[in-house]
Amino acid sequence: MNGLGESHSEQAGRPPEARAQGAEEAEVGLAQQAWTLLFELLHTHMRNFPALAAEFDLSPVQAHVLRQLGEGALAMSTLATYLSCDASNVTGLVDRLEARKLVERRSSEQDRRVKMLVLTEAGAELRGRLMARMALPPPFIASMPEEDLLALGDIMRRALKPQ
Amino acid sequence: MNGLGESHSEQAGRPPEARAQGAEEAEVGLAQQAWTLLFELLHTHMRNFPALAAEFDLSPVQAHVLRQLGEGALAMSTLATYLSCDASNVTGLVDRLEARKLVERRSSEQDRRVKMLVLTEAGAELRGRLMARMALPPPFIASMPEEDLLALGDIMRRALKPQ
DNA sequence: TATTGTTATACTCTATAACTATA
DNA sequence: TATAGTTATAGAGTATAACAATA
């Protein structure tokens, strides 16, 4: 869990034009500090995501697809946007999930070029277990004092609010 | 930015044995709430990481390797542990980075089976730019009020403290 | 003409298993 | 015998380019 102090020193070592000037300097410093700390924790935690997905015999991306599909039917092109990947990629991804009877392709009736993706019953059941598993807080959260949890929740809700 | 409310309802819908009882209930609820919010923000943000790495002609994993290597020389087996992947994987990963003159393999003198990895000058330079780029806070952080940034920083530092 | 999804191709990441060279 | 790294192989994720069906 080092690398944090170092990140700060690298930040300080960057050329002046990369740093804020005058009145905004304190704000930028705080934002970078908070972000660097959060980024470190996140990366450390995200290392475990492939193993978490593997508990359900899913790849990380497949887990992500199931998660998105819970919101309702999605066009393949929409899924490509959500995954930030090329449409050709989604074809193979869905092929494998469909072969496992977790999702289904359904031709849209409005536009017959479009194929809508829906979870099968088995897919919805698997997704439910996956979501419950992902909701389990990791140790660094679980061991936080109540006041920190409350403050963190409030801050995150405010961050989501204005959109 | 939905899926959060839904996660909460799924949480509430889980069987009783998956929830804490009595005195601990409030704590677990807070932890799950905070974690679900954080997880959502993280996943949303992490979607951008491949594009960030691509700004430097790196794959996400290559960016991760450069980040780790900044701490000093690492044995290949240690890197495999950090990356949570098989050693055979690291061979190809390092092959490609070495072909680009970003890292070097050096045989350890203590144990001639071991190969230590070090950044080349070009690798260290690229890493510096990468780290500076990663330190730039995303909008949801950059637009936080100062008091939230201070509180978030304090909470994260406390979370890192005890290790 | 433009768009949705597929196919063909190529490269990276990943794991398992068998191998080598050291220890 | 055990460990560090490599090689061979296979499968999944990724992108680009060319294509078919539809709008």
Side-chain angles (χ1 to χ4, degrees):
Chain A
M1 213 51 87
N2 40 10
L4 288 169
E6 185 224 7
S7 295
H8 289 148
S9 57
E10 288 195 34
Q11 167 189 333
R14 281 190 295 133
E17 64 272 20
R19 294 195 305 249
Q21 303 290 324
E24 288 178 2
E25 187 161 334
E27 288 280 344
V28 172
L30 285 175
Q32 284 204 349
Q33 273 178 44
W35 174 236
T36 302
L37 286 159
L38 201 49
F39 191 86
E40 186 74 20
L41 278 172
L42 295 188
H43 260 272
T44 300
H45 177 75
M46 285 304 167
R47 269 192 358 203
N48 301 326
F49 191 67
L52 189 157
E55 292 174 23
F56 302 89
D57 280 302
L58 296 170
S59 73
V61 178
Q62 287 175 328
H64 199 175
V65 170
L66 255 56
R67 188 159 145 274
Q68 293 289 356
L69 236 44
E71 317 291 331
L74 282 187
M76 295 188 62
S77 58
T78 307
L79 185 56
T81 303
Y82 282 173
L83 297 175
S84 307
C85 78
D86 191 85
S88 64
N89 206 346
V90 175
T91 297
L93 212 46
V94 171
D95 282 350
R96 290 182 283 274
L97 288 172
E98 200 169 33
R100 285 176 60 183
K101 313 273 193 199
L102 296 175
V103 308
E104 273 180 27
R105 284 170 164 98
R106 291 189 193 159
S107 284
S108 164
E109 297 181 0
Q110 285 82 32
D111 183 340
R112 278 158 47 200
R113 293 172 303 182
V114 173
K115 291 181 185 164
M116 304 300 291
L117 299 175
V118 292
L119 291 175
T120 63
E121 200 168 328
E125 186 273 337
L126 180 56
R127 179 180 184 275
R129 290 190 289 128
L130 176 68
M131 296 296 288
R133 173 66 183 81
M134 291 195 300
L136 291 181
F140 87 90
I141 291 280
S143 61
M144 272 187 188
E146 182 171 352
E147 56 180 303
D148 281 2
L149 289 172
L150 282 166
L152 185 57
D154 284 348
I155 291 169
M156 288 299 146
R157 264 182 289 272
R158 273 196 289 279
L160 285 166
K161 261 285 183 52
Q163 155 64 316
Chain B
M1 211 53 85
N2 40 10
L4 288 169
E6 184 223 8
S7 295
H8 288 148
S9 58
E10 289 193 32
Q11 168 188 331
R14 281 190 296 134
E17 64 272 20
R19 295 194 303 248
Q21 303 289 325
E24 288 178 0
E25 187 161 333
E27 288 280 344
V28 171
L30 286 175
Q32 283 203 350
Q33 274 178 44
W35 174 236
T36 302
L37 287 160
L38 202 49
F39 191 86
E40 186 72 22
L41 278 173
L42 295 186
H43 260 274
T44 299
H45 181 264
M46 285 305 167
R47 271 194 355 204
N48 301 327
F49 191 66
L52 190 158
E55 292 174 23
F56 302 89
D57 279 302
L58 296 170
S59 74
V61 178
Q62 288 175 328
H64 199 175
V65 170
L66 255 56
R67 189 159 144 274
Q68 293 289 353
L69 237 44
E71 318 291 331
L74 282 186
M76 295 188 63
S77 57
T78 307
L79 185 56
T81 302
Y82 282 174
L83 296 175
S84 307
C85 77
D86 191 83
S88 64
N89 207 345
V90 175
T91 297
L93 212 46
V94 170
D95 282 349
R96 288 182 284 273
L97 287 172
E98 200 168 35
R100 285 176 60 183
K101 314 272 193 198
L102 295 174
V103 308
E104 273 181 26
R105 284 169 165 99
R106 291 191 192 158
S107 283
S108 163
E109 297 181 359
Q110 286 82 33
D111 182 339
R112 278 158 47 201
R113 292 172 302 181
V114 173
K115 291 180 185 164
M116 303 301 291
L117 299 175
V118 292
L119 291 174
T120 62
E121 200 168 328
E125 185 274 338
L126 180 57
R127 179 180 183 276
R129 289 190 289 129
L130 176 68
M131 296 296 289
R133 174 66 183 80
M134 291 196 299
L136 291 181
F140 86 90
I141 292 280
S143 61
M144 272 187 188
E146 182 172 351
E147 57 181 301
D148 282 2
L149 290 171
L150 282 166
L152 185 57
D154 284 348
I155 291 169
M156 288 299 144
R157 265 183 288 271
R158 272 196 291 277
L160 285 166
K161 260 287 181 50
Q163 155 64 319

